[in-house]
Amino acid sequence: MLDATSSYDPMAPRIPVADRTGHRTVPETTRRTDRIPGTRYGNRPTMKDVAARAGVGLKTVSRVVNGEPGVTPETERRVQEAIEALGFRRNDSARVLRKGRTASIGLVLEDLADPFYGPLSRAVEEVARAHGALLINGSSAEDADREQELVLALCARRVDGLVVIPAGDDHRYLAPEIKAGVATVFVDRPAGHIDVDVVVSDNFGGARDGVRHLIAHGHRRIGFIGDMPRIHTAAERLRGYRTAMEDAGITVADSWMSLGVTDPERVRRAAEEMLSGPDPVTAIFTGNNRVTVTVIRVLAGHARRVALVGFDDIELADLLQPGVTVVAQDAAALGRTAAERLFRQLDGTLLAPERIELPTRLITRGSGELPPAD
Amino acid sequence: MLDATSSYDPMAPRIPVADRTGHRTVPETTRRTDRIPGTRYGNRPTMKDVAARAGVGLKTVSRVVNGEPGVTPETERRVQEAIEALGFRRNDSARVLRKGRTASIGLVLEDLADPFYGPLSRAVEEVARAHGALLINGSSAEDADREQELVLALCARRVDGLVVIPAGDDHRYLAPEIKAGVATVFVDRPAGHIDVDVVVSDNFGGARDGVRHLIAHGHRRIGFIGDMPRIHTAAERLRGYRTAMEDAGITVADSWMSLGVTDPERVRRAAEEMLSGPDPVTAIFTGNNRVTVTVIRVLAGHARRVALVGFDDIELADLLQPGVTVVAQDAAALGRTAAERLFRQLDGTLLAPERIELPTRLITRGSGELPPAD
DNA sequence: TAGAGCCTGGACAACGTTGTCAGGCTCGGG
DNA sequence: CCCGAGCCTGACAACGTTGTCCAGGCTCTA
């Protein structure tokens, strides 16, 4: 189409060629002067084109397109026909500019490919759909800078609201946006230094209960492998672990805890060390789904039977030998709750920011009920 | 927070109250006349506001915001300061309107919560990000009408391109959009009645090889459980199954094949019937990840050992007893390939639409190598 | 010191849509 | 036959940004 040889780089500041090469700037004007009646070269027909073709006024087309009353059936028919003929579709960008609302919300999460976030994202989408809004999402890859970049890009698009699973821990950069009217809800992890709605799972209680479960089955040397401690959920789950251990009067050895990135390599090493050290653990509590999966693999290669409770449910957990006992959180409920709250903010029916905590559920399947094997 | 009590329904045609109630329309004019110097009530500051505060012209602010050359450091500093002070953020809607490109692409898929689509979506997002574009996605829920609705909504937003995993089989409705310049790539399944780029897995070959594998291990009575036959991938995989059977000189009994929705209930019933009928199968080939998971559950409750090969890899498949043999497709590669092709369309470096087929890979883990147990 | 040329800054129109408002038409009653 | 009421319709401005173009001030050279 028009200008088809230029490379795609829509957001780049358009620096005139002259400034880079010293040569004269080529006049790359998109010639829009010479039109074919009823349409334009390489461009989409607009309401103006439709109006011209139907022989009516611009506003009449607008009325038809938006189903507003006050148009004769005959006129409407003519307009509809012109719309069909030209393949007109309303430009929502222009509409947004005029109306102020974009009917879209943004979702920033860590990684769409993570099985925990898929259902969460879908739940948010469903709620958005019910309110006539589209969902724009972005993955922060657990990087605070990228999170901020994404969030601000979404604000520049003027999304009506934001659902954020934060990677960073300082969100003061969002304050002006919120003040300007962008509805905002944080999910899964709380926001840093700003006062917004937050929807989280009971990470502390869930982890504590999971570890208690292991203790109740006779374990005392219990390991904890989790995500980086700067991630709130990881810290909370660790706290739950510590509390359960403390409540049981167990002194936790440093070698029983391992926090860090959750790539299989590190987790594998951490698990091996816990299992083979001078004070080997008889059970492991894993801090999230990725860790759990890796630890299951490690344990599968071990002779000694080691008990396991994992945070987050995982598919097929019931079919392994033994079944994997987990502390499950409801990802879809997190997403749904957050999105509903978001739209209540947009409705104006919501008052002060609140923190909502959803319960977790211990699902026993066998791995958490193994007795200690010393 | 202007107009904060109105309910959120941004896309609804604004029908004057009088037309529904017979009462007079309340003049809901958003009074924008009385301003505070430097900002507006309940609205975001614009470049105009920034310009006023910095004491420069509108275009100068634009230049600073976009990093264009030709602004003195001193002027730039003043502008930057005003931007900070007012919390200005460029309105990309207006920018889009002016520039014609939105720097966003749309992805329509079946269900974001499906573990197959998460990685695909993420891969598309990464490519988009590398090109400075955001990703808007929507789930069609395997409903052709909803697919069309979503696609057209995305077109109305003027996304620069579309990656579509189609639910329907007639996409003529997209023709005007494509002609108008919307780059389009179909993934996972081909498009109906339009000529566009398509990126698919070798569903036929993969299924055929999977079934051959079972045949090679001595099976002759092999069942096939798949998705609805109107879904292209399902049909292709069935064709692969039929071909493999035919090539081996095996006559397929009707009772060995079951196609339909992939909810656990139906799949479970289908599996049970195949296993208990007058001519029970000794092996099952499953048509996608959801089916495979359900069938694994069914087989786990059966005494007789039944061989299984599934289409799509599934997490933890290696840890089950026996490990699950699968025909794996690379979801991320599908997404990446499609997105890259999309941006090559936008670059203008792409010519005729093409069909790209990515290979599948048979991963043997045990379940497919079980001998027939009659 | 004057003239040429460059650099910076700003006025203005345009992008496509929607809200406002006024004009023209028809119809019924006086 | 005239007038007011009510319904359709269309002209116009505005939304916030960017591209074009011009003016004024500066530097540099002859």
Side-chain angles (χ1 to χ4, degrees):
Chain A
M1 314 296 153
L2 202 69
D3 204 10
T5 54
S6 77
S7 94
Y8 179 87
D9 194 358
M11 290 320 249
R14 225 178 59 80
I15 298 173
V17 179
D19 292 343
R20 289 192 298 238
T21 62
H23 293 60
R24 262 202 82 241
T25 305
V26 188
E28 31 173 342
T29 49
T30 53
R31 187 142 24 140
R32 312 183 102 266
T33 33
D34 36 15
R35 292 204 213 158
I36 284 181
T39 182
R40 307 174 185 196
Y41 285 125
N43 276 290
R44 308 199 60 136
T46 71
M47 286 192 177
K48 207 161 155 185
D49 300 319
V50 174
R53 174 160 180 138
V56 302
L58 185 55
K59 180 65 202 188
T60 300
V61 176
S62 172
R63 274 194 267 263
V64 171
V65 168
N66 293 294
E68 288 172 35
V71 180
T72 343
E74 162 58 14
T75 309
E76 171 157 2
R77 197 193 52 69
R78 286 223 313 284
V79 172
Q80 284 293 7
E81 191 195 48
I83 288 176
E84 300 279 317
L86 298 177
F88 167 80
R89 185 163 312 286
R90 182 180 64 197
N91 184 332
D92 277 351
S93 288
R95 176 172 223 249
V96 159
L97 181 58
R98 190 63 233 259
K99 302 202 75 156
R101 285 243 161 130
T102 56
S104 55
I105 67 173
L107 171 62
V108 176
L109 38 69
E110 192 219 317
D111 180 3
L112 211 40
D114 186 308
F116 176 70
Y117 294 113
L120 192 156
S121 179
R122 177 69 198 276
V124 172
E125 188 200 332
E126 285 305 317
V127 177
R129 181 179 148 80
H131 286 84
L134 285 179
L135 183 64
I136 307 182
N137 46 19
S139 300
S140 69
E142 206 62 89
D143 172 4
D145 290 339
R146 188 160 159 180
E147 169 211 306
Q148 175 169 350
E149 182 195 317
L150 265 170
V151 165
L152 292 181
L154 291 166
C155 289
R157 304 287 167 112
R158 294 293 185 271
V159 292
D160 298 337
L162 279 172
V163 176
V164 182
I165 296 167
D169 50 11
D170 183 355
H171 301 94
R172 271 172 292 191
Y173 70 86
L174 255 172
E177 310 300 328
I178 292 172
K179 201 154 64 185
V182 180
T184 309
V185 180
F186 277 63
V187 202
D188 190 40
R189 310 169 186 173
H193 305 291
I194 53 169
D195 187 29
V196 294
D197 275 318
V198 174
V199 180
V200 291
S201 283
D202 180 10
N203 292 293
F204 167 74
R208 189 196 52 203
D209 294 350
V211 175
R212 275 189 186 157
H213 184 72
L214 288 168
I215 294 171
H217 282 80
H219 294 272
R220 295 188 66 80
R221 298 202 308 278
I222 303 172
F224 179 95
I225 306 181
D227 214 324
M228 294 170 286
R230 67 171 179 75
I231 297 176
H232 181 264
T233 49
E236 281 295 288
R237 293 170 197 173
L238 176 62
R239 195 165 67 83
Y241 163 81
R242 283 178 173 286
T243 301
M245 295 295 268
E246 207 165 285
D247 288 355
I250 304 171
T251 308
V252 175
D254 279 351
S255 64
W256 295 352
M257 292 178 297
S258 173
L259 301 178
V261 291
T262 57
D263 69 290
E265 194 37 52
R266 186 199 71 87
V267 171
R268 174 174 292 276
R269 222 169 26 235
E272 299 286 8
E273 278 168 21
M274 268 175 209
L275 293 168
S276 62
D279 207 14
V281 300
T282 62
I284 296 180
F285 185 87
T286 48
N288 72 27
N289 55 353
R290 291 186 299 278
V291 176
T292 306
V293 168
T294 305
V295 170
I296 290 171
R297 292 225 160 80
V298 172
L299 295 185
H302 258 254
R304 188 154 55 89
R305 299 272 263 177
V306 175
L308 171 67
V309 174
F311 209 104
D312 292 333
D313 202 2
I314 50 183
E315 193 162 46
L316 297 182
D318 55 324
L319 290 180
L320 295 176
Q321 293 299 339
V324 183
T325 294
V326 298
V327 176
Q329 48 176 339
D330 188 340
L334 279 174
R336 203 180 321 114
T337 308
E340 275 162 3
R341 227 173 143 77
L342 190 80
F343 284 101
R344 283 186 55 207
Q345 283 185 32
L346 289 168
D347 273 349
T349 58
L350 212 55
L351 303 164
E354 215 175 303
R355 176 196 168 90
I356 299 177
E357 197 169 87
L358 301 184
T360 58
R361 200 161 49 97
L362 182 74
I363 304 176
T364 58
R365 296 193 178 112
S367 74
E369 295 75 53
L370 294 175
D374 291 277
Chain B
M1 295 304 174
L2 204 67
D3 204 10
T5 53
S6 76
S7 92
Y8 179 88
D9 194 0
M11 290 321 247
R14 224 179 59 80
I15 299 172
V17 179
D19 291 343
R20 290 193 296 239
T21 63
H23 292 61
R24 263 204 79 239
T25 306
V26 188
E28 31 175 341
T29 49
T30 54
R31 184 141 28 135
R32 314 185 99 266
T33 34
D34 36 13
R35 290 204 212 158
I36 283 182
T39 183
R40 305 174 187 198
Y41 286 123
N43 275 290
R44 308 199 60 137
T46 71
M47 286 193 178
K48 206 160 155 186
D49 301 319
V50 174
R53 171 153 180 144
V56 302
L58 187 54
K59 181 64 201 189
T60 301
V61 177
S62 173
R63 275 194 268 263
V64 172
V65 168
N66 293 296
E68 288 172 33
V71 181
T72 349
E74 162 59 14
T75 308
E76 170 157 4
R77 197 193 52 71
R78 286 221 315 282
V79 172
Q80 283 294 6
E81 192 196 48
I83 289 176
E84 299 279 316
L86 298 176
F88 167 81
R89 186 163 313 285
R90 182 179 64 196
N91 184 332
D92 277 351
S93 289
R95 178 172 223 249
V96 160
L97 181 57
R98 190 62 232 262
K99 302 201 75 155
R101 285 245 161 128
T102 56
S104 55
I105 67 173
L107 171 62
V108 176
L109 38 70
E110 191 219 319
D111 180 4
L112 210 40
D114 186 308
F116 176 70
Y117 295 113
L120 193 155
S121 179
R122 176 69 198 272
V124 172
E125 188 200 333
E126 286 304 318
V127 176
R129 179 179 149 82
H131 287 84
L134 284 179
L135 183 64
I136 308 183
N137 45 19
S139 300
S140 69
E142 206 64 88
D143 172 5
D145 289 340
R146 189 160 158 180
E147 169 210 306
Q148 176 168 351
E149 183 194 316
L150 264 171
V151 164
L152 292 182
L154 290 167
C155 289
R157 304 286 167 113
R158 295 294 187 270
V159 291
D160 297 337
L162 279 171
V163 176
V164 182
I165 296 167
D169 50 10
D170 184 355
H171 300 94
R172 272 171 292 192
Y173 70 86
L174 254 172
E177 310 299 329
I178 292 172
K179 201 154 64 183
V182 180
T184 309
V185 179
F186 276 62
V187 201
D188 191 41
R189 309 168 186 175
H193 305 290
I194 53 170
D195 187 27
V196 293
D197 276 316
V198 175
V199 180
V200 291
S201 283
D202 179 10
N203 292 294
F204 168 74
R208 187 196 53 202
D209 294 350
V211 175
R212 275 188 186 159
H213 183 73
L214 289 168
I215 294 171
H217 282 80
H219 295 273
R220 295 186 66 80
R221 299 202 307 278
I222 302 172
F224 179 96
I225 307 181
D227 214 327
M228 293 169 287
R230 67 169 179 77
I231 298 177
H232 181 264
T233 50
E236 280 295 289
R237 293 170 196 174
L238 175 63
R239 195 164 67 83
Y241 162 83
R242 282 180 174 285
T243 301
M245 296 294 268
E246 206 166 287
D247 288 354
I250 305 171
T251 308
V252 175
D254 279 350
S255 65
W256 296 352
M257 291 178 298
S258 172
L259 302 178
V261 291
T262 57
D263 68 293
E265 194 37 53
R266 186 199 71 89
V267 171
R268 173 174 295 276
R269 223 171 23 239
E272 299 284 7
E273 278 168 21
M274 269 176 209
L275 292 169
S276 61
D279 207 14
V281 300
T282 64
I284 297 179
F285 185 86
T286 48
N288 70 28
N289 56 353
R290 291 185 299 276
V291 175
T292 306
V293 167
T294 304
V295 170
I296 290 172
R297 292 226 159 79
V298 172
L299 295 185
H302 258 255
R304 187 153 56 89
R305 300 272 264 177
V306 176
L308 171 68
V309 173
F311 209 103
D312 291 335
D313 202 0
I314 50 182
E315 195 163 43
L316 296 181
D318 55 325
L319 291 180
L320 296 176
Q321 293 299 336
V324 184
T325 294
V326 298
V327 176
Q329 49 177 338
D330 188 341
L334 280 174
R336 203 180 322 114
T337 308
E340 275 162 3
R341 227 172 143 78
L342 190 79
F343 284 102
R344 283 185 55 204
Q345 282 185 32
L346 289 167
D347 272 350
T349 58
L350 213 54
L351 303 164
E354 215 175 303
R355 176 196 166 90
I356 299 177
E357 199 169 87
L358 300 185
T360 57
R361 198 161 50 96
L362 182 73
I363 305 177
T364 58
R365 297 195 177 112
S367 74
E369 295 76 53
L370 294 175
D374 291 275

